[in-house]
């Protein structure tokens, strides 16, 4: 049906973005079979590392050690008191908790943490996964799977993952960022590698990657890179990229995802909450994607300053797919600005958002909040077309939105969407 008025257009776009199922291309969630690697429930929500950092800002009296010695529930109590009772929870990470509790149907006027806890004690992980995926309207979740983590490795070795809603991504940060210490971990796993990358080491790293690709069937290989990531460069990292990651990505036909711009551990006392952001050199991205045009790259960058040049770089390189508003960018004002700019430069050839959820329940807020902004930006873009005399069919809008919320990803992979 052709859309006749701007009011109809706004209503149709908003509703379609709200109801179209999502493929969430980067999370830290796990299928139920991974046991306690899957985090969920109100105490996990409250102890999300984004909220830990915010709590310390209001509590100059609180020592880091004292906080880390508390049990999870005690930490959650302290965070709740500090961020939700002593202050109003309007930061994005706090608002997220409010959205989740509201969407679960809790009475927010009571602000009664014990009541929320009682609910979580009464549900099973399996039922809760079903409930959240349905409420969030997320059809597929891509995990972050780390073969350097002994605990997770054990889960894979005992045949964990069979839930088709949770697909794997092979995460290789230690390989590229900590080779000095991770080479010995490969050796312990039976790969004949040496610290100086001599002899058969690159071939053995390739064997390691291929073994894990065979085991996990990952949709892509991924790494987070520091803001001073350089390419080319005389370093173990770049040798491993050139001699191992790129050839394996090419052979396996899967993308290499680079998440660039992290400054790890600027405040180690904050643990997971202690990482920060720095501007990166877009030239490094340009050089690697144009050198390997037969390899696909998924790229997200952490600093706001890199967003425009990243979009321009994608215009020049069709093997580069930009994704998500990552981590410190996952805030309404920045999502709106970045999404608008990307759609203007790249049309629909972009993945506007991923959730980065670490806790299952967060799917509710991360997607509710992002959908609202993506919908708003799309209403403006289609509205401008309408003003210019272009009339749209409902079917065309539905197609575009399905692409933005998953289709673009699957087409880039060259794979059918298994949930379609
Ligand atoms: O957003 C986050 O939770 C960060 O701690 C990181 O996990 C980041 O998303 C990453 O994947 O490295
Ligand atoms: Zn992440």
């Amino acid at each position: 049906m052709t859309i006749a008025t701007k009011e109809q257009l706004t209503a149709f776009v908003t509703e379609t973005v709200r109801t179209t199922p999502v493929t969430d291309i980067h999370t830290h969630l796990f299928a139920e079979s991974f046991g306690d690697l899957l985090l969920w429930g109100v105490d996990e929500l409250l102890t999300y590392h984004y909220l830990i950092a915010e709590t310390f800002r209001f509590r100059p009296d609180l020592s880091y050690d004292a906080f880390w010695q508390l049990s999870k529930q005690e930490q959650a109590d302290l965070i709740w008191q500090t961020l939700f009772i002593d202050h109003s929870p309007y930061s994005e990470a706090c608002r997220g908790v409010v959205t989740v509790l509201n969407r679960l149907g809790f009475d927010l006027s009571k602000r009664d943490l014990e009541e929320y806890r009682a609910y979580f004690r009464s549900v099973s992980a399996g039922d809760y996964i079903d409930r959240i995926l349905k409420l969030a309207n997320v059809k597929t979740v891509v995990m972050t799977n780390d073969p350097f983590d002994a605990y997770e490795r054990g889960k894979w070795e005992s045949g964990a993952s069979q839930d088709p809603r949770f697909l794997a991504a092979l995460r290789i940060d230690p390989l590229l960022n900590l080779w000095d210490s991770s080479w010995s971990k490969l050796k312990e796993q039976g790969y004949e590698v040496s610290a100086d990358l001599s002899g058969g080491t690159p071939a053995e790293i390739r064997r390691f990657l291929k073994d894990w690709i065979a085991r996990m069937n990952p949709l892509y290989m991924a790494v987070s890179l520091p803001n001073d990531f350089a390419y080319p460069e005389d370093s173990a990292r770049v040798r491993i990229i050139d001699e191992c990651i790129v050839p394996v990505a090419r052979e396996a036909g899967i993308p290499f995802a680079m998440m660039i711009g992290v400054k790890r551990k600027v405040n180690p006392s904050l643990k997971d909450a202690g990482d920060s952001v720095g501007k990166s050199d877009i030239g490094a991205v340009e050089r690697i994607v144009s050198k390997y045009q037969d390899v696909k790259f998924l790229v997200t960058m952490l600093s706001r300053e890199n967003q425009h040049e990243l979009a321009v770089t994608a215009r020049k390189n069709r093997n580069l797919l930009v994704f998500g508003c990552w981590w410190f960018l996952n805030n309404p004002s920045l999502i709106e600005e970045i999404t608008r700019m990307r759609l203007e430069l790249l049309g629909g050839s972009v993945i506007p958002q991923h959730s980065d959820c670490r806790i299952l329940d967060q799917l509710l807020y991360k997607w509710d909040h992002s959908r609202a902004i993506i919908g708003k930006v799309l209403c403006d873009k289609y509205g401008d077309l309408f003003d210019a005399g272009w009339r749209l069919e409902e079917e065309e809008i539905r197609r575009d939105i399905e692409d933005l919320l998953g289709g673009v990803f699957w087409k880039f992979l060259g794979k059918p969407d298994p949930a379609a």
Side-chain angles (χ1 to χ4, degrees):
M1 208 178 78
T2 311
I3 295 193
T5 66
K6 264 188 135 166
E7 290 66 36
Q8 274 176 21
L9 180 66
T10 303
F12 186 77
V13 170
T14 306
E15 187 57 10
T16 307
V17 175
R18 204 180 63 76
T19 55
T20 299
V22 166
T23 299
D24 191 345
I25 83 143
H26 170 61
T27 77
H28 299 263
L29 302 177
F30 289 89
E32 188 186 358
S33 53
F34 288 81
D36 56 6
L37 284 174
L38 172 67
L39 304 181
W40 54 285
V42 71
D43 288 323
E44 297 294 351
L45 274 177
L46 286 170
T47 52
Y48 186 33
H49 68 79
Y50 293 29
L51 295 182
I52 291 175
E54 291 175 30
T55 298
F56 277 106
R57 295 196 50 72
F58 288 117
R59 295 295 305 267
D61 55 312
L62 178 67
S63 86
Y64 295 115
D65 283 346
F67 178 82
W68 294 118
Q69 271 159 26
L70 299 174
S71 69
K72 175 144 302 193
Q73 190 167 319
E74 289 166 336
Q75 290 176 355
D77 284 335
L78 190 148
I79 292 170
W80 178 254
Q81 183 64 38
T82 306
L83 296 181
F84 293 78
I85 306 298
D86 297 344
H87 303 87
S88 293
Y90 52 67
S91 76
E92 177 60 9
C94 286
R95 173 188 166 224
V97 176
V98 175
T99 298
V100 171
L101 296 174
N102 185 35
R103 286 278 255 121
L104 291 172
F106 291 122
D107 179 355
L108 293 180
S109 68
K110 288 200 247 157
R111 302 185 181 176
D112 181 359
L113 209 44
E114 290 312 322
E115 183 188 316
Y116 312 147
R117 284 181 175 136
Y119 164 74
F120 288 104
R121 279 193 294 271
S122 77
V123 277
S124 71
D127 288 347
Y128 196 57
I129 291 172
D130 293 346
R131 181 173 185 207
I132 294 293
L133 292 183
K134 188 155 183 270
L135 275 177
N137 204 2
V138 171
K139 57 182 172 179
T140 307
V141 165
V142 183
M143 305 180 282
T144 293
N145 302 103
D146 181 0
F148 288 89
D149 182 291
Y151 189 68
E152 184 178 343
R153 217 165 47 233
K155 302 281 180 191
W156 284 101
E157 279 157 0
S158 58
S161 178
Q162 298 309 332
D163 185 336
R165 298 171 299 178
F166 291 80
L167 302 177
L170 174 55
R171 182 80 176 236
I172 48 175
D173 283 31
L175 192 61
L176 293 178
N177 296 331
L178 297 167
W179 176 249
D180 280 354
S181 54
S182 52
W183 72 273
S184 59
K185 295 195 177 160
L186 283 196
K187 213 169 162 86
E188 282 162 21
Q189 289 186 47
Y191 299 92
E192 276 311 311
V193 294
S194 58
D196 62 2
L197 290 166
S198 61
T201 299
E204 281 294 274
I205 297 175
R206 290 194 294 273
R207 185 166 72 86
F208 163 79
L209 293 170
K210 286 190 240 175
D211 285 350
W212 279 100
I213 288 172
R215 186 168 284 145
M216 290 177 175
N217 191 22
L219 297 176
Y220 55 82
M221 287 185 277
V223 67
S224 74
L225 292 163
N227 69 298
D228 59 3
F229 169 59
Y231 186 93
E233 180 190 63
D234 182 15
S235 64
R237 175 190 290 132
V238 165
R239 269 198 67 190
I240 296 170
I241 290 178
D242 283 337
E243 296 175 36
C244 309
I245 308 297
V246 163
V248 169
R250 186 186 288 123
E251 190 184 318
I254 58 175
F256 178 35
M258 299 190 293
M259 306 169 69
I260 308 169
V262 196
K263 269 192 208 160
R264 292 283 178 200
K265 299 201 179 354
V266 300
N267 181 354
S269 302
L270 281 170
K271 300 195 179 175
D272 271 358
D275 300 337
S276 191
V277 57
K279 286 187 275 297
S280 301
D281 172 19
I282 192 70
V285 180
E286 270 168 6
R287 287 185 287 275
I288 190 168
V289 302
S290 59
K291 178 169 175 190
Y292 298 115
Q293 291 182 25
D294 59 343
V295 172
K296 296 171 197 172
F297 294 87
L298 285 158
V299 177
T300 197
M301 295 180 88
L302 193 52
S303 102
R304 180 190 188 188
E305 288 78 359
N306 283 125
Q307 300 310 316
H308 178 247
E309 53 196 16
L310 177 62
V312 175
T313 304
R315 289 176 68 89
K316 312 298 153 192
N317 297 279
R318 61 185 169 173
N319 59 328
L320 163 57
L321 181 58
V322 175
F323 74 98
C325 299
W326 181 27
W327 200 344
F328 309 112
L329 297 174
N330 197 347
N331 294 306
S333 60
L334 297 173
I335 301 170
E336 180 166 342
E337 161 188 305
I338 293 167
T339 304
R340 219 171 261 287
M341 180 271 294
R342 286 176 176 168
L343 298 191
E344 287 162 6
L345 277 167
L346 298 167
S349 66
V350 66
I351 300 171
Q353 191 56 306
H354 65 269
S355 77
D356 230 318
C357 287
R358 284 177 177 267
I359 296 121
L360 178 68
D361 327 40
Q362 292 172 333
L363 286 170
L364 292 175
Y365 94 78
K366 300 243 188 189
W367 281 109
D368 273 17
H369 296 186
S370 289
R371 280 183 205 266
I373 300 163
I374 294 167
K376 181 176 171 198
V377 173
L378 281 175
C379 283
D380 287 351
K381 295 296 143 205
Y382 286 123
D384 292 345
L385 277 179
F386 191 92
D387 291 343
W390 190 261
R391 293 292 171 269
L392 287 141
E393 300 295 323
E394 287 184 352
E395 200 34 59
E396 293 172 322
I397 292 176
R398 203 175 286 122
R399 169 204 63 200
D400 296 348
I401 292 171
E402 283 172 5
D403 276 347
L404 288 173
L405 297 182
V408 168
F409 175 63
W410 290 106
K411 286 173 199 164
F412 186 69
L413 297 185
K415 294 184 171 145
D417 176 350

